[in-house]
Amino acid sequence: MSDKPLVGILMGSDNDYEIMVEAARALKGFGISYEMKVSSAHRSPERTAGYARMARQRGIRALIVGAGAAAHLAGVIAAETPLPVIGVPIDSSALQGLDALLSTVQMPAGIPVATMAIGKAGARNAGIFAVQLLAADDEALASRLSDFKADMAKKVGEKSSTVQERLAADGL
Amino acid sequence: MSDKPLVGILMGSDNDYEIMVEAARALKGFGISYEMKVSSAHRSPERTAGYARMARQRGIRALIVGAGAAAHLAGVIAAETPLPVIGVPIDSSALQGLDALLSTVQMPAGIPVATMAIGKAGARNAGIFAVQLLAADDEALASRLSDFKADMAKKVGEKSSTVQERLAADGL
Amino acid sequence: MSDKPLVGILMGSDNDYEIMVEAARALKGFGISYEMKVSSAHRSPERTAGYARMARQRGIRALIVGAGAAAHLAGVIAAETPLPVIGVPIDSSALQGLDALLSTVQMPAGIPVATMAIGKAGARNAGIFAVQLLAADDEALASRLSDFKADMAKKVGEKSSTVQERLAADGL
Amino acid sequence: MSDKPLVGILMGSDNDYEIMVEAARALKGFGISYEMKVSSAHRSPERTAGYARMARQRGIRALIVGAGAAAHLAGVIAAETPLPVIGVPIDSSALQGLDALLSTVQMPAGIPVATMAIGKAGARNAGIFAVQLLAADDEALASRLSDFKADMAKKVGEKSSTVQERLAADGL
Amino acid sequence: MSDKPLVGILMGSDNDYEIMVEAARALKGFGISYEMKVSSAHRSPERTAGYARMARQRGIRALIVGAGAAAHLAGVIAAETPLPVIGVPIDSSALQGLDALLSTVQMPAGIPVATMAIGKAGARNAGIFAVQLLAADDEALASRLSDFKADMAKKVGEKSSTVQERLAADGL
Amino acid sequence: MSDKPLVGILMGSDNDYEIMVEAARALKGFGISYEMKVSSAHRSPERTAGYARMARQRGIRALIVGAGAAAHLAGVIAAETPLPVIGVPIDSSALQGLDALLSTVQMPAGIPVATMAIGKAGARNAGIFAVQLLAADDEALASRLSDFKADMAKKVGEKSSTVQERLAADGL
Amino acid sequence: MSDKPLVGILMGSDNDYEIMVEAARALKGFGISYEMKVSSAHRSPERTAGYARMARQRGIRALIVGAGAAAHLAGVIAAETPLPVIGVPIDSSALQGLDALLSTVQMPAGIPVATMAIGKAGARNAGIFAVQLLAADDEALASRLSDFKADMAKKVGEKSSTVQERLAADGL
Amino acid sequence: MSDKPLVGILMGSDNDYEIMVEAARALKGFGISYEMKVSSAHRSPERTAGYARMARQRGIRALIVGAGAAAHLAGVIAAETPLPVIGVPIDSSALQGLDALLSTVQMPAGIPVATMAIGKAGARNAGIFAVQLLAADDEALASRLSDFKADMAKKVGEKSSTVQERLAADGL
């Protein structure tokens, strides 16, 4: 997306792309410009701190940060910027994302990280949550969020019909 | 606080007050008006849904929601409003808040809840995160957040001196 | 099943069908009429509350509710009806159903959800438990439950023979 | 309560009384007769099986069973009766009731135990759930359940007022 | 094995055979006679209690019991016999055997179950432990156990050589 | 107890005495001679290995071993003796004995440790299990075990009466 | 200790002093000079990075870092220095140190943190481990470590005597 | 590697080779000589203790030890040598390495094991940590570690470019 980005999406490794692209998809669905970067809390600390410190003045309004295992990236970024930081724990170790969840959410008083669910649902929700932030002073966007909710509700009804058909097909 | 509230703080039970008052303290520290209510996802579902549906048009910009055990309150509120919902898991069962954390954070795609740490640190961070949201289009508030960060950093230095003194007192 | 349903089976997503169909199979095995719907606590809150509020007067006697991750659906339904609500935690996130189990079972005082095991065994047992409820004032049904138990006991003996054969086949 | 009991409350040890008495209180609040016994799956297996086998013909309509640690009691009773069995995990070991929860809820297909939350909330809900079962064919009881729900909702509003006062008292 | 069995191996379901056959293999390796049965704590409680009560007078000296999920079988058997009962938790639910482990090991004071590791290693060790029990008054068997230990130690040395070769093959 | 000991009770630290004395009490209750030692897998490895290697020829028939945290002691002892080793996990770290439980029970194939419940119940059961081992070839002891079981069953009935009285005292 | 420090002890908050002083005690016991500082990964990121970057050239040979909850401090320091970093998870949240343990130990490939046990035992061991590092090229220190081990072994024998006395005092 | 080894890599079973070879690769990358052995805490206790006792005088400067399940090997080795012992928990049981992690890291005061992450990342980091130990008195090696860090940081930038390309390829 070529506009000046409003949201920055960061991830600790390109292995996290398949998960974090869900945040990009959500943002694109609402027409919100974004950028996506790899930066590591541990392997590239200066790059990470530098990015975080410059984000606000570059016009970024929210940061979405995904990481796995001892997922320090969201916290490290939150330490360097007053922008809202949204964390996405990624299931990339033997412990199924429990390590990433606890490392992301259990931040000490003073430095919040807004933590989403582990994995794809969380990445998608991070995008939607960023839209909710931006909709605070944007009625058009708020209206699109309402449409989005109405659309989700409508699809539930359609899925309910699908289930009836499967039940019939199963002779139940 | 008597101003028209910008942030709504909800909790599932008045037993949660000691935790959730930390959110109020954080907001007050930044001069942000708020209101605080008890409402239950399970005991007063209509009250809860009604509050959530009206919040945006009443001028509320973010909702902070604390609950323990099978903590459904933040999710139920997020289902009814396009506003950003910030969840605070509360340790009020035998399982030390793990149940509240998972019930709050593991939201399905489409309905994000921005989850904070379990307990007081989380409640305080919920207030600070709400300030970060409001600071997106408020330079004065953004500037106060920067001061807040600088002040935290300064206090770390002071605490380091305290530790030297304790070490000396312990003869180490 | 075309009779007026005595049991309502709900699930948060059609992805849960493969699990929840086990409840339908159990009910059908006992000749109990049921209906099956998709409804989401978060994506379609009005549909969900509306269904729950009307269930009793439509003649429903028990509700079986399956959901995964932050599984709020059973609790949200229990908030809206005096009918017994039976919850089935579904393993649909990285955390193997532990999140769904805790979100379903750890309900606050006042709003019970009768929670079954995670996954297919739980869905099947939800159906059987609904039969047990209905058998309270139905001697014929109670008698079929006794036959069902006797049949399970008999099959254990048959399985024991199978194991002898496998042991022999393995030269042990 | 001297009436012929409709509900049997069992616990594995008299140490569980403080928890399980909440079930009795809930039942008494709805005017449902009950009896309370200690019986152990492991220390008194015959007594336990005997009680379970006789319960239905003695007029019992539901069984509430509390146990801690490797909480086998509810499952063992469910094996011996077609009555609905409601399990209450009790936090009585080092593992804070997680062992009791998993031992109670993870029943194999065929033998359901309707599991409630760990501890007092769960015991209270077990009583309420038993009332919900009995209300299936008792309109007066169903009406009392509706009143109970309305009363809970009303108390939430009162608690909300309490919180306003505490906030004011704290100068917030 | 056609001799009068000294060890009884029980499992809750024939699905557990692949795990529990490891116990049989271990016993056969030491020339100990055994029998293997399926019996369920919940589906066939009388069969289970009956087997347990008769085991000692039939000449059985130890019981090995495997079960998954809410694994009550070992505890239920231990309630009915003074024989040593060795429990094997089986990973057959979404929770990877943690439920079976806690259900087996967290027995209340008075009724021990000697719990082994989850799965095949545990089943194999259950067999070996039964041999250790029988070796208490059998010098020849004790001597075979010593040989078994010596053989394990020797194999470690061989495996160490294998690792050297793999390292060389990997150019390391 | 001054007789030549039949059971050795070991613990990793004298801090574990309050737990492990329950094993001694159980053994004394059955008239079984024992000895109790502190030995550490990590602080005194030679002492530990030496004790384990000599135990059988000193006439010891079973070893009861308690340890907390990374509880290696039972496994280390089992490595050095063909005697049955009974492990008692002790809750002495922040993790409530979960670390000790997993360190004790998850032994690799070849070296069983018969694991009991965490804490006092486990220590007591370790003593009883040792009695069960010794009763294999001792009819008098087996008879005392049967009496012990009968006595436990009888006490359950007495506790049930206590509960009636408490219920009456509570006006329930 | 006034010598030029060889070991730096850092902690995220002065609340961690009571735990981390154990590391100082261990170092002092071996005559190793150290310094102790408070620095926070999140509240004072520049201070933290600056300290880490300068440590090696100031003559520091190892860093001991304690933190609780989402314990990022050790990882953040390890990102900025080639020195060995020893992490001590601190139990300072509702989750009993499990969050701190996973946040400290689950570091990604490339940036090791040598993690010790949760709490005081871990802090003490961090000090001893630092001594082990320094002893690599210091025969005198290595010799003191051997004495330390011998002394621990000796004390185990003394504790064993204590246990005999307690047993006698308890009439066992 | 044919030089006199500076680092010993041990594992409990040759099944652990695929994990532990990562430690060898890391060491080889820095030109550090090493040896690799299989030895078991439980199956070959004498071999294990003997290796540990001789390691320092053979010129070994650090030991890397991997094991799964009830992972006692690192602790048992640490008990026998003043050398720094680096533990790698291996995910080889149903519990996904949580058992190995707790068994390795929760060492009692006096006997540290420097624990790395579960699995391959941990094995690789064990190798790097050993290099960090050896670099304490080796400026050339310290300089290579700095280069290694710089190289990791550079690769992060490259991965960030990869992500841009994937985003473009996905039309996002």
Side-chain angles (χ1 to χ4, degrees), chain F residues 21-33:
Chain F
V21 74
E22 295 295 326
R25 286 207 176 98
L27 290 166
K28 190 170 187 196
F30 282 94
I32 304 297
S33 59

Side-chain angles (χ1 to χ4, degrees), chain E residues 9-63:
Chain E
I9 304 174
L10 271 84
M11 65 197 82
S13 159
D14 57 337
N15 294 331
D16 303 334
Y17 175 81
E18 285 299 330
I19 301 297
M20 296 310 293
V21 75
E22 296 294 326
R25 286 208 175 97
L27 290 166
K28 190 170 187 196
F30 282 93
I32 304 296
S33 59
Y34 58 86
E35 64 185 6
M36 185 184 273
K37 308 274 183 192
V38 175
S39 198
S40 165
H42 305 118
R43 284 185 282 247
S44 61
E46 283 179 77
R47 175 187 174 91
T48 298
Y51 179 85
R53 283 179 203 138
M54 296 300 292
R56 191 168 197 277
Q57 66 199 70
R58 289 181 52 235
I60 299 283
R61 296 276 297 275
L63 291 163

